[in-house]
Amino acid sequence: MPAIEAHHLYKVFGRKGREGVRRLEAGADTDELKKAGLTPAVIDASFTVEEGEIFVVMGLSGSGKSTLIRMINGLHPPTAGHVELYGENITAATGKDLRRLRRERISMVFQHFALFPHRSVIDNAAYGLETQGVAKEERRRRAHEALELCGLTGWDEHLPSELSGGMQQRVGLARALAADTDILLMDEAFSALDPLIRRDMQDQLIELQQKLGKTILFITHDLNEAMRIGDRIAMMRNGRIVQVGTAEEILTDPANDYVAQFVADVDRTRVLTASSVMEPPAAVLGAEQGPRAAHKLMREHQLPAMFVTGRDRTLKGYVTEDEVGRHLDQKDITGLMKPVPDFARVTPDTSLADLFGPAAETPAIAVVDDAGRLNGVIPRITLLAALAAANESEVTTSSETETVLTPDIDEMKEAVRD
Amino acid sequence: MIEGTTPLTIVPPLPVGELFETGFDWFKDTFDAAFDAIGDFINSVIDGFAELLQAPEPLVLAIVFALLAWLVRDWKLAVGSLVGMVVIIGMDMWDPAMETLALVVVATLFALVIGIPLGIWAARSPAVSRILKPVMDFMQTMPGFVWLVPVVILFGIGVAGAMVATVIFALPPAVRLTELGIRQVDSEVVEAGHAFGAGSRQILKDIQLPLALPTLMAGVNQVIMLALSMAVIAGLVGGGGLGNEVVSAISTLDLALGFDAGISVVILAIFLDRLTASIGSRRPGHGRLRELRDRFTRTPADRTPARVS
């Protein structure tokens, strides 16, 4: 069951919000409503967040993302539509039910930390447990654990005002984690922090998520942050969700010009992965084949070297044309085969930025999955072409890379001769 | 014809005061018995409290006041208070001063009991706030003497009427500063309370009131100051205490008596102001009272400094 389901959420501020929703459904645009004194903050937002996912809502200020996140835990009632948390309708819940859902299901981290200045750090962290009615000793113990988990030890009895911004947000995060809810809402949680601390917190959040398996709905206006931590990203503009997808999907296949323009400045080499630029190997040699077959294949494809795989496509090693040519009379190729050095094998989700180092050392990188199977190869020239395409903010297609394959062969020959 | 154009007769006479009086008379006739009962109750509370303050040896009570000042602030205020109280004793103004103090304390308590809930209500409901605002303006800007007329009619000459007039005059800052204090609490912090599933009563008790406390205490301070000034004016209607002395000083043109009473009021005012101001400005839970409590409730083993700041 999905953790969060948002169904056609609308938030229109103004006296006749409902009428505003009807007009929006009938096709009216934001400007028309503004003339009528209505402010549409969120328009027809629907999305699903799966359990254990980090879902990022990305938009500039005024795009409605803060209003959206507040409708998820009922701080703002939607004008239309509803939200379900694990199948339970929180929008319809009132009073006691609403408070129970908030205690058990969903906690929140705020942009400006929203710590209680009159309570010590540990009492802040224990607040969620306090509303849950957990006994004092127990909640202090669990709050202390949460603080340690967030890298904050020895500050329990201090007041929040004695802590730096980054530390205060750790308290905010600990407060949300101590409540031990399934879902964590994070409203621009790192936006008020210095860039270095922000990066640190992002890493820590990803680490914590992997350890604890929480479902996280994260709001940000920083695209790099969204790309860094989000499993999936919802792009918001003027109250509407314009695209939902993984970082790579949004980069390589933007839904409209707005998104395309927005992602133009992203450092693609950090987002795109080896699997998105690799190509199927032009020819692969089976380990059981002999040197003659190998020589023939390499001649046919004009390759100076090729990878050798087993029957189950696991990568065994590589052979060079020179070596094979000198030993055509041998029965088996295994004697001529050299192991692929570690730096030349990468996993499919290695980012492009991490491929440049290996590419400097070897003419072709092998992309190998966890089971050791060869998924594809990345010749040096393909990497350069992908980078060039990325900088032109164009989509890398296979036809483009094929046209640049020819010079690659000369280069590979040179490399092998060296 | 000429008459018709003079500015004097363009505006018809408005019998505002008479209308008020008619309504007030009806009010009084209808609820007379109730007001008598309330008056008796107030009289007995204030008289009892005043007698309690007058019962011990004046010097002993002066030392108690000084100790109180040391508890909430420091030894300087303690010494100042002691000197001030001794001066009052020396001027032979102790008994009327204690009567006035009793009137001020009881009036302040009434004003807070009425004013703080009203302020909380106004902070939560914009409609209530809109209604209360002009009422508060009216109560505060109406000259204090005017309030003496209706209360004398309702309660007769005496302490009860004086106290009611004092409460009316001193109430507005309690309402206003409570409302202001609660509204000033960071909305994100209140949101955090909601987000973690706290009810509105919990949020009021655990978040809004503690964070509004400095502003609220400024309100309490204002209430006390206004109550003191009104309590002296209320001497005109038999409020007793220092007000009585002032009134008789005026009627007999007794400069010495007037000054003795006036200086006593000033000393009381400074004492009460410093006392309440230091309660309000203190960081929560960091006072001498807390220190004392810690010292007596903790075992020596964990008396290690809990706060590093």
Side-chain angles (χ1 to χ4, degrees):
Chain A
M1 184 182 287
I4 305 174
E5 281 175 277
H7 295 282
H8 303 286
L9 286 176
Y10 283 86
K11 183 73 186 180
V12 180
F13 291 107
R15 283 193 156 207
K16 293 175 182 164
R18 288 225 160 244
E19 199 190 304
V21 172
R22 269 197 297 281
R23 287 175 62 179
L24 285 166
E25 279 171 343
D29 66 13
T30 309
D31 291 338
E32 283 175 52
L33 261 75
K34 279 192 177 147
K35 267 178 214 151
L38 294 164
T39 314
V42 175
I43 303 166
D44 198 16
S46 295
F47 58 88
T48 304
V49 183
E50 298 298 333
E51 191 161 16
E53 186 179 26
I54 302 186
F55 187 88
V56 177
V57 178
M58 149 78 212
L60 297 180
S61 53
S63 62
K65 55 195 192 308
S66 278
T67 311
L68 180 67
I69 201 173
R70 278 166 175 72
M71 291 196 283
I72 304 297
N73 65 352
L75 285 177
H76 286 345
T79 316
H82 72 277
V83 176
E84 283 174 30
L85 305 180
Y86 289 93
E88 221 174 331
N89 186 338
I90 189 172
T91 307
T94 51
K96 235 175 155 186
D97 281 336
L98 180 61
R99 291 201 293 276
R100 177 184 56 77
L101 271 170
R102 284 173 179 164
R103 283 174 199 160
E104 292 172 3
R105 287 287 187 212
I106 196 158
S107 52
M108 189 160 173
V109 182
F110 293 82
Q111 180 174 7
H112 301 295
F113 324 139
L115 299 177
F116 308 121
H118 59 300
R119 289 168 158 244
S120 64
V121 164
I122 192 157
D123 285 339
N124 264 285
Y127 187 73
L129 297 166
E130 200 178 315
T131 59
Q132 286 169 18
V134 175
K136 188 168 183 181
E137 287 303 310
E138 164 89 359
R139 70 175 186 246
R140 283 180 73 91
R141 185 181 61 74
R142 282 165 63 182
H144 183 78
E145 279 172 15
L147 285 167
E148 275 188 340
L149 201 59
C150 297
L152 208 64
T153 31
W155 293 90
D156 285 9
E157 303 300 334
H158 286 246
L159 287 177
S161 55
E162 295 163 16
L163 271 57
S164 69
M167 287 159 89
Q168 290 193 26
Q169 193 57 303
R170 283 170 204 274
V171 179
L173 188 57
R175 176 173 64 179
L177 288 178
D180 201 21
T181 55
D182 315 290
I183 303 167
L184 217 60
L185 299 182
M186 304 188 72
D187 178 23
E188 301 242 16
F190 302 150
S191 300
L193 305 178
D194 295 337
L196 279 176
I197 297 166
R198 193 186 308 174
R199 250 194 115 100
D200 207 37
M201 293 289 282
Q202 289 164 358
D203 289 340
Q204 210 171 5
L205 182 70
I206 295 169
E207 204 177 295
L208 281 171
Q209 201 274 340
Q210 277 164 359
K211 205 186 294 179
L212 306 172
K214 301 274 182 203
T215 307
I216 298 174
L217 179 64
F218 195 101
I219 297 267
T220 183
H221 64 255
D222 177 351
L223 187 62
N224 282 313
E225 182 169 74
M227 299 267 168
R228 226 168 115 76
I229 64 173
D231 293 324
R232 282 191 305 144
I233 298 166
M235 300 286 292
M236 253 187 122
R237 186 199 188 192
N238 292 343
R240 291 181 197 270
I241 293 181
V242 289
Q243 187 173 11
V244 179
T246 63
E248 285 194 53
E249 281 167 6
I250 284 171
L251 269 186
T252 53
D253 188 18
N256 57 28
D257 288 349
Y258 175 76
V259 177
Q261 218 173 48
F262 212 97
V263 299
D265 292 334
V266 170
D267 183 358
R268 272 143 216 274
T269 61
R270 302 223 162 262
V271 178
L272 295 178
T273 58
S275 61
S276 65
V277 296
M278 71 183 183
E279 27 188 84
V284 178
L285 198 65
E288 71 288 346
Q289 286 173 290
R292 279 182 192 284
H295 200 245
K296 186 165 171 278
L297 263 175
M298 281 191 270
R299 283 271 156 121
E300 264 171 28
H301 291 94
Q302 296 190 319
L303 292 170
M306 63 195 304
F307 291 116
V308 183
T309 64
R311 279 186 185 280
D312 55 354
R313 304 214 324 131
T314 50
L315 183 64
K316 299 284 186 200
Y318 75 100
V319 291
T320 59
E321 193 195 356
D322 294 358
E323 194 74 8
V324 173
R326 263 184 265 135
H327 301 90
L328 283 175
D329 48 339
Q330 287 200 1
K331 268 186 199 152
D332 204 336
I333 201 155
T334 39
L336 306 173
M337 199 169 68
K338 290 176 195 151
V340 180
D342 277 345
F343 66 82
R345 347 167 24 133
V346 298
T347 54
D349 54 3
T350 310
S351 69
L352 289 196
D354 294 333
L355 295 180
F356 297 128
E361 308 266 343
T362 174
I365 299 167
V367 182
V368 182
D369 65 16
D370 289 341
R373 285 190 295 267
L374 182 67
N375 285 18
V377 296
I378 305 173
R380 186 186 292 155
I381 203 72
T382 305
L383 185 60
L384 289 174
L387 185 64
N391 282 350
E392 286 160 28
S393 74
E394 279 172 10
V395 181
T396 319
T397 64
S398 53
S399 63
E400 272 173 43
T401 45
E402 250 167 312
T403 55
V404 293
L405 255 178
T406 340
D408 175 36
I409 289 157
D410 296 332
E411 196 191 356
M412 278 179 97
K413 275 180 181 159
E414 269 169 44
V416 172
R417 247 175 252 134
D418 288 344
Chain B
M1 274 174 75
I2 296 162
E3 272 175 9
T5 54
T6 53
L8 282 175
T9 48
I10 287 177
V11 179
L14 289 174
V16 175
E18 280 111 86
L19 275 176
F20 193 79
E21 195 183 341
T22 315
F24 188 78
D25 282 345
W26 171 84
F27 187 71
K28 174 183 161 36
D29 292 344
T30 318
F31 298 106
D32 208 16
F35 281 114
D36 282 351
I38 295 171
D40 288 346
F41 172 70
I42 294 171
N43 272 329
S44 57
V45 169
I46 293 178
D47 286 347
F49 191 42
E51 274 167 36
L52 193 74
L53 289 173
Q54 288 163 343
E57 190 61 35
L59 208 53
V60 173
L61 197 58
I63 291 170
V64 170
F65 287 156
L67 274 175
L68 196 65
W70 174 76
L71 268 183
V72 301
R73 189 134 160 212
D74 52 18
W75 62 270
K76 286 184 215 158
L77 183 61
V79 170
S81 306
L82 190 62
V83 171
M85 296 300 156
V86 169
V87 169
I88 294 179
I89 296 169
M91 293 187 300
D92 197 20
M93 282 287 153
W94 184 256
D95 279 356
M98 287 308 104
E99 275 175 36
T100 298
L101 185 62
L103 178 61
V104 168
V105 169
V106 174
T108 300
L109 287 180
F110 270 90
L112 295 181
V113 164
I114 300 167
I116 290 177
L118 276 179
I120 292 171
W121 197 20
R124 301 184 149 207
S125 155
V128 172
S129 175
R130 267 200 302 278
I131 294 167
L132 277 181
K133 204 169 161 14
V135 175
M136 291 298 130
D137 289 341
F138 182 79
M139 284 165 69
Q140 215 172 8
T141 47
M142 181 69 83
F145 292 97
V146 178
W147 292 118
L148 297 177
V149 185
V151 296
V152 167
I153 296 172
L154 285 179
F155 296 98
I157 296 283
V159 177
M163 199 215 72
V164 172
T166 306
V167 169
I168 293 174
F169 191 68
L171 184 67
V175 180
R176 281 184 209 274
L177 287 165
T178 303
E179 181 184 350
L180 180 70
I182 289 178
R183 282 189 190 276
Q184 271 175 346
V185 174
D186 182 0
S187 63
E188 221 185 39
V189 172
V190 177
E191 253 184 356
H194 284 293
F196 283 94
S200 54
R201 192 177 293 233
Q202 273 173 305
I203 288 174
L204 182 69
K205 180 171 76 70
D206 296 337
I207 300 172
Q208 287 173 317
L209 282 182
L211 292 181
L213 195 65
T215 313
L216 216 139
M217 285 310 296
V220 173
N221 180 275
Q222 288 289 300
V223 169
I224 291 177
M225 291 299 108
L226 285 182
L228 186 60
S229 68
M230 191 62 193
V232 174
I233 292 171
L236 283 173
V237 296
L242 295 171
N244 246 7
E245 305 298 322
V246 172
V247 171
S248 69
I250 293 170
S251 54
T252 58
L253 288 180
D254 186 340
L255 189 64
L257 178 63
F259 260 89
D260 282 350
I263 289 170
S264 300
V265 170
V266 170
I267 292 171
L268 268 189
I270 293 174
F271 172 67
L272 290 172
D273 177 67
R274 299 295 185 273
L275 203 66
T276 49
S278 59
I279 293 174
S281 63
R282 210 180 47 199
R283 280 169 71 191
H286 281 241
R288 200 162 274 114
L289 273 173
R290 164 83 171 253
E291 265 172 44
L292 280 180
R293 202 177 62 204
D294 286 356
R295 196 166 300 168
F296 289 117
T297 53
R298 289 191 184 193
T299 57
D302 48 41
R303 208 193 287 159
T304 47
R307 291 172 303 277
V308 186
S309 62

